[in-house]
Amino acid sequence: MSSASGSPALTTAGFQVLLALASGHSHGYAVMGFVDQLTDGQVRLGPGTLYRTLARLVADELVSESEVSDPSAPHDARRRYYQLTPLGAQVVRDEAALLARLVDAAHTAGLLDGERRTT
Amino acid sequence: MTHQRPLGLGTHIFVSDADAAVAFYSEAFGAAELIRHCLPDGRVLFVELAVGPDKLLLSEEIKELNAVAPSTLGGSPVMLLLELEDVDTAFTHAVEMGATVEMPVAEMFWGERYGIVRDPFGHHWSLCTRREQLAPDEVADRVPPGPADGTWTG
């Protein structure tokens, strides 16, 4: 199923990887570390999930492998470099805006009392 | 017995020719190969394909592992369901790629435009596009008397 705009639907892991890339983490290991740190270890992208998620985002043309990766290195998503495509940048922006609206509603509903409001 | 809430359900199909099947599912249904593992003798143990938001595992026929393809069994009792934005174009394309029409695309009483093909490897696929969001009661009111000639149309 795709979103109403016709762009590919993102999995939770897909959004987290796009978010990491948008935050300047271009290396597979850095993506894993960013998500781990951001979520205080609640979300751990293992190497299998990272590989599948990146392969999927590349297939959907949301992410491309950047040229700084070493083509002679064994194929390991953690050791390669990735970047958002223009479509990926748009999709992660749209998804973030949608999530922000949902989080605003969660604040209004009192679900986040005691949590730090970040907006 | 305690019941766990499953974390997911996937589909794993067996085919006579994994390379040809991956090529067909990629071209006809927009699948993307994510991972492939082969046996030392070169037979494909499994390929993991992403199809839309879901996962399809595919293995080459490996009789020692009871992985037997529909062509060996003489058919398959299972159907895979694929939802698309434009079922007509996908259906025509699948048939051009070598799939066999089992039920032409038509408007169905449950609110979908829907048709069935058999792929070149013997697996049945129903292809659909949602047209109306109907409540179960509305669908119940529309059920026709019975299928005719293998279809619900007419």
Side-chain angles (χ1 to χ4, degrees):
Chain A
M1 196 167 80
S2 61
S3 65
S5 65
S7 55
L10 283 181
T11 61
T12 304
F15 177 72
Q16 290 162 355
V17 170
L18 294 183
L19 180 62
L21 295 176
S23 304
H25 301 274
S26 57
H27 191 268
Y29 271 117
V31 169
M32 294 165 83
F34 170 82
V35 173
D36 184 86
Q37 206 169 18
L38 183 68
T39 63
D40 289 331
Q42 279 188 56
V43 178
R44 287 221 160 90
L45 295 180
T49 301
L50 178 75
Y51 180 89
R52 286 172 171 82
T53 304
L54 281 165
R56 182 53 197 277
L57 293 169
V58 169
D60 284 338
E61 299 179 342
L62 302 181
V63 166
S64 60
E65 238 181 282
S66 67
E67 289 174 5
V68 288
S69 66
D70 178 0
S72 66
H75 197 87
D76 180 338
R78 291 169 295 181
R79 296 177 201 282
R80 290 176 172 257
Y81 289 85
Y82 298 88
Q83 61 194 5
L84 293 176
T85 64
L87 177 63
Q90 186 60 51
V91 165
V92 70
R93 208 175 286 130
D94 291 347
E95 186 74 7
L98 175 65
L99 292 172
R101 285 202 295 278
L102 296 173
V103 171
D104 278 349
H107 273 293
T108 304
L111 299 177
L112 295 171
D113 289 351
E115 295 280 331
R116 181 169 54 100
R117 191 187 267 268
T118 55
T119 54
Chain B
M1 174 173 170
T2 56
H3 295 275
Q4 292 190 47
R5 187 176 186 280
L7 300 176
L9 174 68
T11 307
H12 188 163
I13 61 173
F14 305 132
V15 296
S16 50
D17 181 339
D19 286 335
V22 169
F24 176 84
Y25 298 137
S26 300
E27 175 65 27
F29 300 148
E33 179 172 336
L34 300 184
I35 290 178
R36 175 183 293 237
H37 290 292
C38 295
L39 295 176
D41 65 13
R43 286 181 294 175
V44 177
L45 183 59
F46 69 86
V47 175
E48 185 175 320
L49 298 171
V51 184
D54 295 311
K55 182 169 83 171
L56 176 66
L57 289 177
L58 173 157
S59 291
E60 208 148 66
E61 179 161 281
I62 301 172
K63 289 182 180 167
E64 310 91 285
L65 297 174
N66 293 321
V68 186
S71 50
T72 301
L73 291 170
S76 165
V78 174
M79 185 145 72
L80 297 106
L81 316 176
L82 188 65
E83 183 185 342
L84 301 142
E85 290 198 358
D86 178 0
V87 64
D88 291 88
T89 299
F91 193 93
T92 302
H93 189 45
V95 172
E96 284 168 358
M97 295 281 302
T100 304
V101 177
E102 295 198 321
M103 191 172 112
V105 175
E107 298 290 336
M108 291 295 148
F109 63 87
W110 59 83
E112 289 177 351
R113 199 163 164 74
Y114 177 100
I116 302 172
V117 294
R118 186 175 66 251
D119 73 31
F121 314 95
H123 292 285
H124 308 283
W125 292 77
S126 63
L127 310 181
C128 76
T129 295
R130 285 193 222 182
R131 306 276 279 175
E132 297 173 272
Q133 297 286 346
L134 299 173
D137 285 351
E138 294 175 291
V139 176
D141 289 342
R142 296 181 178 200
V143 178
D149 303 327
T151 82
W152 284 97
T153 55

